[in-house]
Short mmCIF file of all heavy atoms in Angstrom, two decimals:
data_model
loop_
_atom_site.label_atom_id
_atom_site.label_comp_id
_atom_site.label_asym_id
_atom_site.label_seq_id
_atom_site.Cartn_x
_atom_site.Cartn_y
_atom_site.Cartn_z
N ASN A 57 20.92 20.50 -5.04
CA ASN A 57 20.34 21.66 -4.35
C ASN A 57 19.31 22.33 -5.24
O ASN A 57 19.51 22.50 -6.43
CB ASN A 57 21.43 22.69 -4.01
CG ASN A 57 22.41 22.15 -2.99
OD1 ASN A 57 23.60 22.29 -3.15
ND2 ASN A 57 21.91 21.52 -1.95
N GLY A 58 18.20 22.67 -4.62
CA GLY A 58 17.16 23.37 -5.37
C GLY A 58 16.32 22.48 -6.25
O GLY A 58 15.53 22.96 -7.07
N ALA A 59 16.47 21.15 -6.09
CA ALA A 59 15.73 20.23 -6.96
C ALA A 59 14.25 20.19 -6.62
O ALA A 59 13.43 19.85 -7.47
CB ALA A 59 16.33 18.83 -6.84
N GLY A 60 13.91 20.51 -5.37
CA GLY A 60 12.51 20.49 -4.98
C GLY A 60 12.19 19.49 -3.88
O GLY A 60 11.02 19.23 -3.60
N LYS A 61 13.21 18.97 -3.23
CA LYS A 61 12.98 17.97 -2.18
C LYS A 61 12.21 18.59 -1.01
O LYS A 61 11.18 18.06 -0.59
CB LYS A 61 14.31 17.42 -1.66
CG LYS A 61 15.17 16.75 -2.73
CD LYS A 61 16.47 16.23 -2.18
CE LYS A 61 17.38 17.31 -1.62
NZ LYS A 61 17.89 18.26 -2.61
N SER A 62 12.71 19.70 -0.50
CA SER A 62 12.03 20.32 0.64
C SER A 62 10.63 20.75 0.25
O SER A 62 9.69 20.64 1.04
CB SER A 62 12.83 21.52 1.15
OG SER A 62 14.12 21.11 1.53
N THR A 63 10.51 21.26 -0.97
CA THR A 63 9.18 21.69 -1.42
C THR A 63 8.22 20.50 -1.41
O THR A 63 7.09 20.61 -0.93
CB THR A 63 9.28 22.29 -2.83
OG1 THR A 63 10.23 23.35 -2.80
CG2 THR A 63 7.94 22.83 -3.28
N GLY A 102 15.71 20.24 7.98
CA GLY A 102 17.15 20.19 7.92
C GLY A 102 17.82 21.32 8.67
O GLY A 102 18.92 21.18 9.20
N ASP A 173 13.91 15.71 6.45
CA ASP A 173 14.50 16.53 5.40
C ASP A 173 15.93 16.86 5.81
O ASP A 173 16.17 17.77 6.60
CB ASP A 173 13.68 17.80 5.21
CG ASP A 173 14.10 18.58 3.98
OD1 ASP A 173 15.07 18.15 3.31
OD2 ASP A 173 13.48 19.61 3.69
N GLU A 174 16.88 16.16 5.28
CA GLU A 174 18.28 16.31 5.67
C GLU A 174 18.43 16.35 7.18
O GLU A 174 18.92 17.33 7.74
CB GLU A 174 18.87 17.58 5.05
CG GLU A 174 18.91 17.52 3.54
CD GLU A 174 19.51 18.78 2.96
OE1 GLU A 174 20.51 19.25 3.52
OE2 GLU A 174 18.97 19.27 1.96
N SER A 204 15.14 12.52 3.02
CA SER A 204 15.87 13.32 2.04
C SER A 204 17.26 13.58 2.58
O SER A 204 17.42 13.88 3.76
CB SER A 204 15.12 14.64 1.82
OG SER A 204 16.01 15.71 1.76
N HIS A 206 21.71 14.44 1.53
CA HIS A 206 22.83 14.57 0.62
C HIS A 206 23.96 13.63 1.01
O HIS A 206 24.99 13.58 0.36
CB HIS A 206 23.36 16.01 0.62
CG HIS A 206 22.43 16.98 -0.03
ND1 HIS A 206 22.06 16.87 -1.34
CD2 HIS A 206 21.78 18.06 0.46
CE1 HIS A 206 21.23 17.86 -1.63
NE2 HIS A 206 21.04 18.59 -0.56
MG1 MG C 24 15.94 21.33 1.06
#
Side-chain angles (χ1 to χ4, degrees):
Chain A
N57 294 134
K61 301 180 297 294
S62 301
T63 304
D173 190 357
E174 296 181 42
S204 137
H206 290 299

